[in-house]
Amino acid sequence: MKHLLTVLVLALVMANAFVAASPRHSHDVKSRGYKYQRQKGVGRKVKGNGHSTSAPPPPPPPPQSDDYDPHSRTFDITSFGAKGDGVTDDSKALQAAWRAACVVPSATIKIPSESKFLIRPIDGTILASSQLGDWSKSTLLQWVNFKWLNEFTITGSGTVDGQGSAWWNMTQDHHHPKVSNCIHIKMHEDRCYALRFYGSCNVTVRDIRILNSPQCHLKFDSSEGVKVTNITISSPGSSPNTDGIHIQQTQDVQIEHSDIGCGDDCVSIQAGCSNVHVHNINCGPGHGISLGGLGKDNSLACVSNITVEDVSIRNALYGVRIKTWQGGIGSVRNVTFTGVQVSEVETPIVIDQYYCNKKSCKNQTDAIAITGVKYKQITGTYSWQPMHIACSDSTPCTNVDLVDVQLSPSSDSASLHDALCWKSYGDSKGLILPFNIDCLQRGNKLFRALESHKYSC
Ligand SMILES: *[C@@H]1O[C@H](CO)[C@@H](O)[C@H](O)[C@H]1NC(C)=O
Ligand SMILES: *[C@@H]1O[C@H](CO)[C@@H](O)[C@H](O)[C@H]1NC(C)=O
Ligand SMILES: *[C@@H]1O[C@H](CO)[C@@H](O)[C@H](O)[C@H]1NC(C)=O
Ligand SMILES: *[C@@H]1O[C@H](CO)[C@@H](O)[C@H](O)[C@H]1NC(C)=O
Ligand SMILES: *[C@@H]1O[C@H](CO)[C@@H](O)[C@H](O)[C@H]1NC(C)=O
Ligand SMILES: *[C@@H]1O[C@H](CO)[C@@H](O)[C@H](O)[C@H]1NC(C)=O
């Protein structure tokens, strides 16, 4: 999706969250922030998290306005002293604007597009409020939201801590308004995010640590030119539904040199993604690297040119997985998994065209065509089944190739299952272990895949 992204506006939606800027080089998180709640249309100051050891400096007062409207609270970085000449360090101005914006709900920090701002790494920890009551409905989707950015980099040794444990503990409580809304959102294949980029171009996220997000940690949507490098994402394995990096409708993505451990997918590649290169990352625990689920509710999904290279996946349910719902249209083409080292992974290689996260799903004829999937040098240990490829009866998978795939049972696996190949065509080369993995049908039935691609993507 090629948006016109010339406006450089940084929109931080973090109502009711508070910023705790810890002193540089200190490991103690001392809250100097305040938490504000909206009451009868007025920003009301409430006490911070109680950890403050010294009197916090008063934050700049929010602009005065008689007609309170959370959406009109815009903080221009230049009115906080930013020079915008590309040379002067404007970090302090951004910090000041950020602090001021945190005082009111749904604030926006404006960075005028005609200037260049040099923002140095801002040390410190940004904490999302752990109080569920502090999350308003409109801010439920994400607590830091960047929109329509062009050539933007987030870097620094700071930590973004989503403090999500209150969420994980409450996922059973469907009646809690926040939780039920979140579950509702999830059912629409959306999630609650710690950090989200929307409609952005050439964005880099590097060196940061993201911990304990309520659900997903880092999301890129409708963007182009994304680089994620040297980041750490970590939530306890017990946290449900926490994806590491989630990308959707986004092209030209590079994810590299990072450690990602979450309860759900390590990297989740969704509809509309192409030219994605994931390399040199460590995943686990969780559900490994996923394409999909694609094609839910008969939707169109096109995914192509995906390379996953030199990754290590440990202690996970799956290794590399492609999952599509019955009834979808579109295609998955040209996907290569190479140099994947698995360790204690239940099922390292999965293609599931019958994906269903309910008890049962209606059988449907339409299917997203899957063609050109290569597995090269997939090695390590599995604890359930080495490979599970279940393709559609009407649209078999074609050009599925295995090259040097060597998997062995992990020491503590109680029961092992043979590999499954269903309606999948392809070839194998090199050493293939265990031998039952060599179950692909030879020859290719290209017509249906090509037809599907021609008319849909
Ligand atoms: C969530 O549950 C865990 C384990 O029971 C507990 O340690 C943690 O404090 C809880 N978090 C919140 C915010 O209630
Ligand atoms: C994004 O970066 C690429 C490669 O450096 C460049 O060709 C492209 O023009 C950039 N896009 C925008 C909108 O700046
Ligand atoms: C990676 O990020 C950490 C901070 O989280 C930093 O100390 C380290 O130098 C970075 N490594 C590289 C190669 O940039
Ligand atoms: C996939 O890669 C090929 C070859 O580099 C290129 O021609 C094609 O446009 C790419 N597809 C997309 C959707 O970018
Ligand atoms: C497949 O995708 C890769 C990038 O992931 C690209 O370099 C290559 O040219 C593509 N091949 C085809 C046939 O599109
Ligand atoms: C879908 O088809 C499979 C295989 O033919 C069958 O076992 C299953 O019961 C069907 N499911 C439904 C919901 O009709």
Side-chain angles (χ1 to χ4, degrees):
M1 211 177 278
K2 289 193 171 55
H3 285 278
L4 290 171
L5 297 164
T6 50
V7 185
L8 202 140
V9 174
L10 158 59
L12 298 171
V13 180
M14 45 186 311
N16 298 323
F18 62 95
V19 175
S22 59
R24 281 170 185 256
H25 313 301
S26 164
H27 295 289
D28 294 329
V29 175
K30 287 175 186 149
S31 171
R32 290 181 176 178
Y34 290 98
K35 215 164 41 178
Y36 284 81
Q37 288 175 345
R38 209 180 134 188
Q39 187 192 46
K40 290 188 179 149
V42 182
R44 178 173 65 96
K45 193 169 86 174
V46 297
K47 195 84 182 82
N49 65 2
H51 297 312
S52 303
T53 51
S54 58
Q64 296 304 307
S65 163
D66 291 329
D67 299 312
Y68 180 79
D69 172 9
H71 302 293
S72 73
R73 295 307 179 98
T74 298
F75 299 85
D76 193 324
I77 185 173
T78 55
S79 46
F80 290 84
K83 292 277 180 293
D85 56 10
V87 180
T88 311
D89 185 350
D90 288 329
S91 312
K92 288 225 152 50
L94 177 64
Q95 274 173 299
W98 184 300
R99 286 212 180 94
C102 288
V103 171
V104 294
S106 303
T108 295
I109 294 177
K110 202 165 204 167
I111 302 180
S113 57
E114 59 271 21
S115 311
K116 275 189 177 167
F117 296 91
L118 177 66
I119 306 295
R120 298 276 295 278
I122 297 171
D123 283 87
T125 299
I126 300 163
L127 290 173
S129 173
S130 65
Q131 304 298 307
L132 286 166
D134 290 349
W135 293 69
S136 71
K137 202 172 172 182
S138 62
T139 58
L140 198 61
L141 282 170
Q142 61 274 317
W143 64 270
V144 181
N145 188 20
F146 296 97
K147 282 191 208 171
W148 307 308
L149 295 173
N150 187 14
E151 305 284 346
F152 183 82
T153 298
I154 288 190
T155 180
S157 53
T159 296
V160 176
D161 188 339
Q163 299 203 121
S165 68
W167 290 78
W168 312 326
N169 291 4
M170 291 196 64
T171 47
Q172 296 312 310
D173 183 2
H174 291 204
H175 300 298
H176 191 288
K178 312 295 175 194
V179 173
S180 63
N181 191 23
C182 210
I183 287 166
H184 174 75
I185 290 158
K186 252 180 63 195
M187 282 166 61
H188 291 82
E189 294 294 305
D190 215 334
R191 305 276 176 127
C192 301
Y193 312 103
L195 212 51
R196 180 187 189 206
F197 291 86
Y198 178 83
S200 297
C201 206
N202 292 352
V203 172
T204 301
V205 177
R206 63 185 312 148
D207 304 340
I208 61 166
R209 298 159 58 82
I210 306 175
L211 308 176
N212 306 327
S213 164
Q215 288 205 343
C216 180
H217 289 91
L218 183 54
K219 162 126 187 170
F220 298 93
D221 188 355
S222 303
S223 296
E224 195 181 311
V226 167
K227 185 167 183 178
V228 176
T229 184
N230 187 36
I231 70 162
T232 303
I233 293 182
S234 157
S235 284
S238 57
S239 57
N241 305 317
T242 52
D243 287 339
I245 301 175
H246 197 108
I247 58 174
Q248 190 172 350
Q249 300 291 348
T250 293
Q251 291 85 46
D252 303 326
V253 178
Q254 196 165 159
I255 298 170
E256 57 176 35
H257 304 294
S258 294
D259 289 318
I260 302 167
C262 281
D264 209 324
D265 295 338
C266 168
V267 176
S268 171
I269 298 167
Q270 296 291 331
C273 290
S274 60
N275 304 329
V276 176
H277 191 193
V278 178
H279 64 102
N280 299 94
I281 65 166
N282 298 314
C283 288
H287 294 180
I289 294 172
S290 290
L291 269 67
L294 303 170
K296 193 180 184 187
D297 300 326
N298 307 99
S299 61
L300 169 70
C302 302
V303 173
S304 63
N305 297 3
I306 312 293
T307 303
V308 174
E309 199 171 6
D310 298 327
V311 300
S312 155
I313 300 170
R314 26 187 75 244
N315 190 17
L317 226 44
Y318 309 103
V320 290
R321 180 165 59 143
I322 300 173
K323 45 182 176 172
T324 69
W325 296 79
Q326 291 187 69
I329 46 172
S331 67
V332 172
R333 291 179 301 131
N334 185 23
V335 179
T336 302
F337 299 104
T338 174
V340 178
Q341 173 75 42
V342 294
S343 171
E344 309 278 322
V345 169
E346 285 196 8
T347 312
I349 297 173
V350 178
I351 296 179
D352 182 6
Q353 292 214 277
Y354 299 88
Y355 182 67
C356 176
N357 64 3
K358 313 180 276 205
K359 232 180 188 162
S360 78
C361 290
K362 205 172 80 188
N363 283 333
Q364 299 181 59
T365 316
D366 276 342
I368 286 169
I370 297 180
T371 185
V373 183
K374 191 174 213 166
Y375 299 94
K376 193 176 170 188
Q377 287 148 12
I378 316 291
T379 56
T381 59
Y382 67 96
S383 59
W384 178 256
Q385 189 177 24
M387 181 172 92
H388 183 102
I389 297 188
C391 294
S392 156
D393 293 290
S394 61
T395 313
C397 299
T398 57
N399 288 321
V400 177
D401 290 324
L402 305 177
V403 181
D404 296 321
V405 173
Q406 297 171 50
L407 297 166
S408 52
S410 60
S411 48
D412 63 343
S413 35
S415 61
L416 294 174
H417 298 72
D418 279 355
L420 172 88
C421 291
W422 178 256
K423 301 287 178 191
S424 44
Y425 292 80
D427 212 343
S428 55
K429 292 194 192 84
L431 194 54
I432 304 291
L433 288 172
F435 295 119
N436 65 61
I437 279 191
D438 200 358
C439 57
L440 296 163
Q441 287 171 261
R442 297 296 186 254
N444 275 316
K445 299 228 166 128
L446 273 172
F447 57 95
R448 191 61 200 256
L450 288 174
E451 184 187 293
S452 171
H453 172 244
K454 191 171 159 192
Y455 293 110
S456 311
C457 288

Coordinates of all heavy atoms in Angstrom, one line a residue, residues 52-113:
S52 N 7.8 7.1 44.4 CA 8.6 8.3 44.4 C 9.3 8.5 45.8 O 8.7 8.3 46.8 CB 7.7 9.5 44.2 OG 7.0 9.3 42.9
T53 N 10.6 8.8 45.7 CA 11.3 9.0 46.9 C 11.6 10.5 47.1 O 11.9 10.9 48.2 CB 12.7 8.2 46.9 OG1 13.3 8.6 45.6 CG2 12.5 6.7 46.9
S54 N 11.4 11.2 46.1 CA 11.6 12.7 46.2 C 10.4 13.4 45.6 O 9.7 12.8 44.8 CB 12.9 13.1 45.6 OG 12.8 12.8 44.2
A55 N 10.2 14.6 46.0 CA 9.1 15.4 45.4 C 9.3 15.5 43.9 O 10.4 16.0 43.4 CB 9.0 16.7 46.0
P56 N 8.4 15.1 43.1 CA 8.5 15.2 41.6 C 8.4 16.6 41.2 O 7.7 17.4 41.8 CB 7.4 14.3 41.1 CG 6.4 14.3 42.2 CD 7.1 14.5 43.5
P57 N 9.2 17.0 40.1 CA 9.0 18.3 39.6 C 7.6 18.5 38.9 O 7.1 17.5 38.4 CB 10.1 18.4 38.5 CG 10.4 17.0 38.1 CD 10.0 16.1 39.3
P58 N 7.0 19.7 39.1 CA 5.7 19.8 38.5 C 5.8 19.8 37.0 O 6.6 20.4 36.4 CB 5.3 21.2 39.0 CG 6.5 21.9 39.3 CD 7.5 20.9 39.7
P59 N 4.9 19.0 36.4 CA 4.9 18.9 34.9 C 4.3 20.2 34.3 O 3.6 20.9 35.0 CB 4.0 17.8 34.6 CG 3.1 17.6 35.8 CD 3.9 18.2 37.0
P60 N 4.7 20.6 33.1 CA 4.2 21.8 32.5 C 2.6 21.7 32.5 O 2.1 20.6 32.2 CB 4.7 21.8 31.1 CG 5.8 20.8 31.1 CD 5.5 19.8 32.2
P61 N 1.9 22.8 32.7 CA 0.5 22.7 32.7 C 0.0 22.5 31.3 O 0.6 23.0 30.4 CB 0.1 24.1 33.3 CG 1.2 25.0 33.0 CD 2.4 24.2 33.0
P62 N -1.1 21.8 31.2 CA -1.7 21.6 29.9 C -2.3 22.9 29.4 O -2.6 23.8 30.2 CB -2.8 20.6 30.1 CG -3.1 20.7 31.5 CD -1.9 21.1 32.2
P63 N -2.3 23.1 28.1 CA -2.9 24.4 27.5 C -4.3 24.6 28.1 O -5.0 23.6 28.2 CB -2.9 24.2 26.0 CG -1.9 23.1 25.8 CD -1.9 22.2 27.0
Q64 N -4.6 25.8 28.3 CA -5.9 26.1 28.9 C -7.0 26.1 27.7 O -6.7 26.5 26.6 CB -5.9 27.5 29.5 CG -5.0 27.6 30.7 CD -5.3 26.6 31.8 OE1 -6.5 26.5 32.2 NE2 -4.3 25.8 32.2
S65 N -8.1 25.5 28.1 CA -9.2 25.5 27.1 C -10.5 25.4 27.8 O -10.6 24.6 28.8 CB -9.0 24.3 26.2 OG -10.2 24.0 25.5
D66 N -11.4 26.2 27.4 CA -12.7 26.1 28.1 C -13.5 24.9 27.6 O -14.1 24.2 28.4 CB -13.5 27.4 27.8 CG -12.9 28.5 28.6 OD1 -12.2 28.3 29.6 OD2 -12.9 29.7 28.0
D67 N -13.5 24.6 26.3 CA -14.2 23.5 25.8 C -13.2 22.3 25.8 O -12.4 22.2 25.0 CB -14.7 23.8 24.4 CG -15.6 24.9 24.4 OD1 -16.6 24.9 25.2 OD2 -15.5 25.8 23.5
Y68 N -13.4 21.5 26.8 CA -12.5 20.3 26.9 C -12.8 19.3 25.8 O -13.9 18.9 25.6 CB -12.7 19.6 28.2 CG -11.8 18.4 28.3 CD1 -10.4 18.6 28.7 CD2 -12.2 17.2 28.1 CE1 -9.6 17.5 28.7 CE2 -11.4 16.1 28.2 CZ -10.1 16.3 28.5 OH -9.2 15.2 28.6
D69 N -11.8 19.1 25.0 CA -11.9 18.1 23.9 C -10.6 17.3 23.8 O -9.6 17.9 23.5 CB -12.2 18.8 22.6 CG -12.2 17.8 21.4 OD1 -12.1 16.6 21.7 OD2 -12.2 18.3 20.3
P70 N -10.6 16.0 24.2 CA -9.4 15.3 24.3 C -8.7 15.2 22.9 O -7.5 15.1 22.9 CB -9.8 13.9 24.8 CG -11.3 13.8 24.5 CD -11.8 15.2 24.7
H71 N -9.4 15.3 21.9 CA -8.8 15.2 20.6 C -8.1 16.4 20.1 O -7.4 16.4 19.1 CB -9.9 14.7 19.5 CG -10.5 13.4 20.0 ND1 -9.8 12.2 20.0 CD2 -11.7 13.2 20.4 CE1 -10.6 11.3 20.5 NE2 -11.8 11.8 20.7
S72 N -8.3 17.5 20.8 CA -7.7 18.8 20.3 C -6.5 19.1 21.1 O -5.9 20.1 21.0 CB -8.7 19.9 20.5 OG -8.9 20.2 21.9
R73 N -6.1 18.2 22.0 CA -4.9 18.4 22.8 C -3.6 18.1 22.0 O -3.1 17.0 22.0 CB -5.0 17.6 24.1 CG -6.1 18.0 25.0 CD -6.1 19.5 25.3 NE -7.1 19.9 26.1 CZ -7.0 20.1 27.4 NH1 -5.9 19.9 28.1 NH2 -8.1 20.5 28.1
T74 N -3.1 19.1 21.3 CA -2.0 18.9 20.5 C -0.8 19.7 21.1 O -0.9 20.8 21.4 CB -2.3 19.4 19.1 OG1 -3.4 18.5 18.6 CG2 -1.1 19.2 18.2
F75 N 0.3 19.0 21.1 CA 1.5 19.6 21.7 C 2.6 19.7 20.6 O 3.1 18.7 20.2 CB 2.0 18.8 22.9 CG 1.0 18.8 24.0 CD1 0.0 17.8 24.0 CD2 1.0 19.7 25.0 CE1 -1.0 17.8 25.0 CE2 0.1 19.7 26.0 CZ -0.9 18.7 26.0
D76 N 2.8 20.9 20.2 CA 3.8 21.1 19.1 C 5.2 21.2 19.7 O 5.5 22.0 20.6 CB 3.5 22.5 18.4 CG 4.3 22.6 17.1 OD1 5.4 22.1 17.0 OD2 3.7 23.1 16.1
I77 N 6.1 20.3 19.2 CA 7.4 20.2 19.8 C 8.2 21.6 19.7 O 9.0 21.9 20.6 CB 8.2 19.1 19.0 CG1 9.6 18.8 19.7 CG2 8.3 19.3 17.6 CD1 10.3 17.6 19.1
T78 N 7.8 22.4 18.8 CA 8.5 23.7 18.6 C 8.2 24.6 19.8 O 9.0 25.5 20.1 CB 8.3 24.4 17.3 OG1 6.9 24.5 17.1 CG2 8.8 23.6 16.1
S79 N 7.0 24.5 20.3 CA 6.6 25.4 21.4 C 7.3 24.9 22.7 O 7.1 25.5 23.8 CB 5.1 25.5 21.6 OG 4.5 24.3 21.5
F80 N 8.0 23.8 22.7 CA 8.8 23.4 23.8 C 10.3 23.6 23.6 O 11.1 22.9 24.2 CB 8.5 21.9 24.1 CG 7.1 21.7 24.7 CD1 6.0 21.6 23.8 CD2 6.8 21.6 26.0 CE1 4.7 21.4 24.3 CE2 5.6 21.5 26.5 CZ 4.5 21.3 25.7
G81 N 10.6 24.4 22.7 CA 12.0 24.8 22.5 C 12.7 24.1 21.4 O 14.0 24.3 21.3
A82 N 12.1 23.2 20.7 CA 12.8 22.5 19.6 C 13.2 23.5 18.5 O 12.5 24.3 18.1 CB 11.9 21.4 19.1
K83 N 14.4 23.3 18.0 CA 15.0 24.1 16.9 C 14.6 23.6 15.6 O 14.3 24.4 14.7 CB 16.5 24.2 17.0 CG 17.0 25.0 18.3 CD 17.0 26.5 18.1 CE 17.5 27.2 19.3 NZ 16.6 27.1 20.4
G84 N 14.6 22.3 15.4 CA 14.2 21.7 14.1 C 15.2 22.0 13.0 O 14.8 22.1 11.9
D85 N 16.5 22.2 13.3 CA 17.5 22.5 12.3 C 18.3 21.2 11.9 O 19.2 21.3 11.1 CB 18.4 23.6 12.7 CG 19.1 23.3 14.0 OD1 19.0 22.2 14.5 OD2 19.7 24.2 14.6
G86 N 17.9 20.1 12.5 CA 18.6 18.9 12.2 C 20.0 18.8 12.9 O 20.7 17.8 12.7
V87 N 20.4 19.8 13.6 CA 21.8 19.8 14.2 C 21.6 19.9 15.7 O 22.3 19.2 16.5 CB 22.6 21.0 13.7 CG1 24.0 21.0 14.3 CG2 22.7 21.0 12.2
T88 N 20.8 20.8 16.2 CA 20.6 21.0 17.6 C 19.9 19.7 18.2 O 19.0 19.2 17.6 CB 19.7 22.2 17.9 OG1 20.2 23.3 17.1 CG2 19.6 22.6 19.3
D89 N 20.3 19.3 19.4 CA 19.6 18.2 20.0 C 18.3 18.6 20.6 O 18.2 19.4 21.5 CB 20.6 17.7 21.1 CG 20.0 16.4 21.8 OD1 18.9 16.1 21.5 OD2 20.7 15.9 22.6
D90 N 17.2 18.1 20.0 CA 15.9 18.4 20.4 C 15.2 17.4 21.3 O 14.0 17.4 21.5 CB 15.0 18.6 19.1 CG 15.3 19.9 18.4 OD1 15.8 20.9 19.0 OD2 15.1 19.9 17.1
S91 N 16.1 16.5 21.9 CA 15.5 15.5 22.7 C 14.8 16.0 23.9 O 13.7 15.5 24.3 CB 16.6 14.6 23.2 OG 17.5 14.2 22.2
K92 N 15.3 17.1 24.5 CA 14.7 17.7 25.7 C 13.4 18.2 25.4 O 12.4 18.1 26.2 CB 15.6 18.7 26.3 CG 16.9 18.2 27.0 CD 17.1 18.8 28.3 CE 17.9 17.9 29.3 NZ 19.1 17.3 28.6
A93 N 13.2 18.8 24.2 CA 12.0 19.4 23.8 C 10.9 18.3 23.6 O 9.8 18.4 24.0 CB 12.1 20.2 22.5
L94 N 11.4 17.2 23.0 CA 10.5 16.1 22.9 C 10.0 15.5 24.2 O 8.8 15.3 24.4 CB 11.1 15.0 22.0 CG 10.2 13.7 21.8 CD1 8.9 14.1 21.1 CD2 10.9 12.6 21.1
Q95 N 11.0 15.4 25.1 CA 10.7 14.9 26.4 C 9.7 15.8 27.1 O 8.7 15.3 27.8 CB 11.9 14.7 27.3 CG 12.6 13.4 27.1 CD 13.9 13.3 27.8 OE1 14.8 14.1 27.5 NE2 14.1 12.4 28.7
A96 N 9.9 17.1 27.0 CA 9.0 18.1 27.6 C 7.6 18.0 27.0 O 6.6 17.9 27.7 CB 9.5 19.5 27.5
A97 N 7.6 17.9 25.7 CA 6.3 17.8 25.0 C 5.6 16.5 25.4 O 4.4 16.4 25.6 CB 6.5 17.8 23.5
W98 N 6.4 15.4 25.5 CA 5.8 14.1 25.9 C 5.2 14.2 27.3 O 4.1 13.7 27.5 CB 7.0 13.1 25.8 CG 6.6 11.7 26.1 CD1 6.0 11.2 27.2 CD2 6.7 10.6 25.2 NE1 5.8 9.8 27.1 CE2 6.3 9.4 25.9 CE3 7.3 10.4 23.9 CZ2 6.3 8.2 25.3 CZ3 7.3 9.2 23.4 CH2 6.8 8.0 24.0
R99 N 6.0 14.8 28.2 CA 5.5 14.9 29.6 C 4.2 15.7 29.6 O 3.2 15.3 30.3 CB 6.5 15.6 30.5 CG 7.7 14.7 30.8 CD 8.2 15.0 32.2 NE 9.4 14.1 32.4 CZ 10.6 14.4 32.2 NH1 10.9 15.6 31.7 NH2 11.6 13.6 32.4
A100 N 4.2 16.8 28.9 CA 2.9 17.6 28.9 C 1.8 16.8 28.3 O 0.7 16.9 28.8 CB 3.2 18.9 28.1
A101 N 2.1 16.0 27.2 CA 1.0 15.3 26.6 C 0.5 14.2 27.5 O -0.7 13.9 27.4 CB 1.6 14.7 25.3
C102 N 1.3 13.7 28.3 CA 0.9 12.6 29.2 C -0.1 13.1 30.3 O -0.7 12.3 31.0 CB 2.1 12.0 29.9 SG 3.0 11.0 28.8
V103 N -0.2 14.4 30.4 CA -1.1 15.0 31.4 C -2.5 15.0 31.0 O -3.4 15.0 31.8 CB -0.6 16.5 31.7 CG1 -1.6 17.2 32.6 CG2 0.8 16.4 32.4
V104 N -2.8 14.9 29.7 CA -4.2 14.8 29.2 C -4.4 13.5 28.4 O -3.5 13.0 27.8 CB -4.5 16.0 28.4 CG1 -4.5 17.3 29.2 CG2 -3.6 16.2 27.2
P105 N -5.6 13.1 28.4 CA -5.9 11.9 27.6 C -5.8 12.2 26.1 O -6.1 13.3 25.7 CB -7.3 11.5 28.0 CG -7.6 12.3 29.3 CD -6.8 13.5 29.2
S106 N -5.5 11.2 25.3 CA -5.6 11.3 23.9 C -4.8 12.5 23.3 O -5.3 13.2 22.4 CB -7.0 11.3 23.4 OG -7.7 10.2 23.8
A107 N -3.6 12.7 23.9 CA -2.9 13.8 23.5 C -2.1 13.5 22.2 O -1.8 12.3 21.9 CB -1.9 14.3 24.5
T108 N -1.7 14.5 21.4 CA -0.9 14.3 20.2 C 0.3 15.2 20.3 O 0.2 16.3 20.7 CB -1.7 14.7 19.0 OG1 -2.8 13.8 18.9 CG2 -0.9 14.6 17.7
I109 N 1.4 14.6 20.0 CA 2.6 15.4 19.9 C 2.9 15.7 18.4 O 2.9 14.7 17.7 CB 3.8 14.7 20.6 CG1 3.6 14.6 22.1 CG2 5.1 15.5 20.3 CD1 4.7 13.8 22.8
K110 N 3.0 16.9 18.1 CA 3.1 17.3 16.7 C 4.6 17.6 16.4 O 5.2 18.4 17.1 CB 2.2 18.5 16.4 CG 1.9 18.6 14.9 CD 0.7 19.5 14.7 CE 0.0 19.2 13.4 NZ -1.3 19.9 13.3
I111 N 5.1 17.0 15.3 CA 6.4 17.3 14.9 C 6.3 17.8 13.5 O 6.1 17.0 12.5 CB 7.3 16.0 15.0 CG1 7.4 15.5 16.4 CG2 8.7 16.3 14.5 CD1 8.2 14.2 16.6
P112 N 6.4 19.1 13.3 CA 6.1 19.7 12.0 C 7.0 19.1 10.9 O 8.2 18.8 11.1 CB 6.4 21.2 12.2 CG 6.3 21.4 13.6 CD 6.7 20.1 14.3
S113 N 6.4 18.9 9.7 CA 7.1 18.1 8.7 C 8.1 19.0 8.0 O 9.0 18.4 7.4 CB 6.1 17.6 7.6 OG 5.3 18.7 7.1

